[in-house]
Amino acid sequence: MSTPPPWLRTVDAAGLVDEAGTVRSTIFAEISALATEHGAVNLGQGFPDEDAPREVLDAAIEAINAGVNQYPPGRGMPVLRQAIAEHRERFWGDTVDPDTEVIATTGATEGIAVALLSLAGASDEVVTLEPYYDSYAAMIGLSGATHRTIPLRGEDFQPEPAEIDAAIGPRTRVVLLNNPHNPTGSVIRPELLERIVARAAAHDAVIVSDEVYEHLVYDDAPFTPAALIPGARERTLTISSAAKTFRVTGWKIGWMTGPAELIDHVLAVKQFTTYVNGAPFQPAVAVGLGLPDSYFDEQRVSLQNRRDLLSDGLRAAGFRVSPSSGSYFVVADAAPLGINDGAVAARELTLDPGVASIPLQAFAPRSTDPVVRSSLRFAFCRTEAAIADASERLRTFAAR
């Protein structure tokens, strides 16, 4: 049998090819289209209702009017790279060289793609947590590497030490982390991160840590950037983004920090993908990164309140709700409502009572865990009014 072409490896790895070989759209596109068609409250995709801080928007407008509309440098504009380095030092005490250890990317998604395509190949294994963001599997498939997973288990979705040890081995080239975690909202405990780092170091694997929700950690959960775990810095690429922190998901300004050699490897691939991106948005994001602590604190408190509002509403409707310690999302098990297939439920609930969500199994298509199969991911990055509306619709529906 011939080797599948790259496009087919990509969609097949993402679980978008059925047994008949038909390629279907992502569940995100399907649910969002259904929500629009039927006037549902869309708690599916993780994009906020509210706009960016005024200072950030004004900085973008100013840059456009000033003619900052041509190709920026391949590594990113100096003002952005300097702001990223200062932000990293300010919040995490991690010193990086803005000239050699920082690169701007077209959102975190491109950062993930170019990291995997630059580091992993057909003879390698890439390890992720499971459930996982769907682009991880797609890019692993495109790279030709084999995808291994560490299941997240229990009410708070944590990895088991034995399963960490079993997944990371001599063929592991990359350990791709996501913390705080999408879709589960978990924050991985530091001692478990330490075990992952130790296993990666033992097998000389690179750690790629997706930390786009670094500022959205609730209840004083013990979030630790992976690069700060002892033994990790020299082998860790950290990815973050303006999208969630500044509510600009459409700008696609992300970044990566890490050892100069690894950044050079990523640049070798990136220069032939997007090359550069978003010139007027780069200085605007630099302004955002320099906002006072009060902005980051207020955003975290506001989202924590909305998380609580949605979690209470889901419990009132009969769902079993897992604690969310970070991100935009909360996972709710629909089994107490007699629902065992979250994929079917997500479609049906979008139509009636008109609340859109994403089935957890979309992030773990190979899982046989019944909790994964019956659970839904809801986004709380919406207005309180939208969350209250969705909660009431679900409560009324469950009471029928």
Side-chain angles (χ1 to χ4, degrees), residues 26-60:
T26 70
I27 191 69
F28 307 97
E30 180 185 350
I31 292 295
S32 287
L34 283 174
T36 299
E37 180 182 356
H38 295 277
V41 181
N42 192 349
L43 304 186
Q45 285 188 276
F47 56 86
D49 287 332
E50 297 157 307
D51 224 334
R54 190 69 254 171
E55 303 97 315
V56 175
L57 297 176
D58 288 344

Side-chain angles (χ1 to χ4, degrees), residues 216-239:
L216 304 181
V217 179
Y218 315 119
D219 305 320
D220 297 319
F223 169 65
T224 304
L228 300 188
I229 299 292
R233 193 183 191 285
E234 64 271 19
R235 65 180 62 257
T236 299
L237 290 168
T238 301
I239 295 171

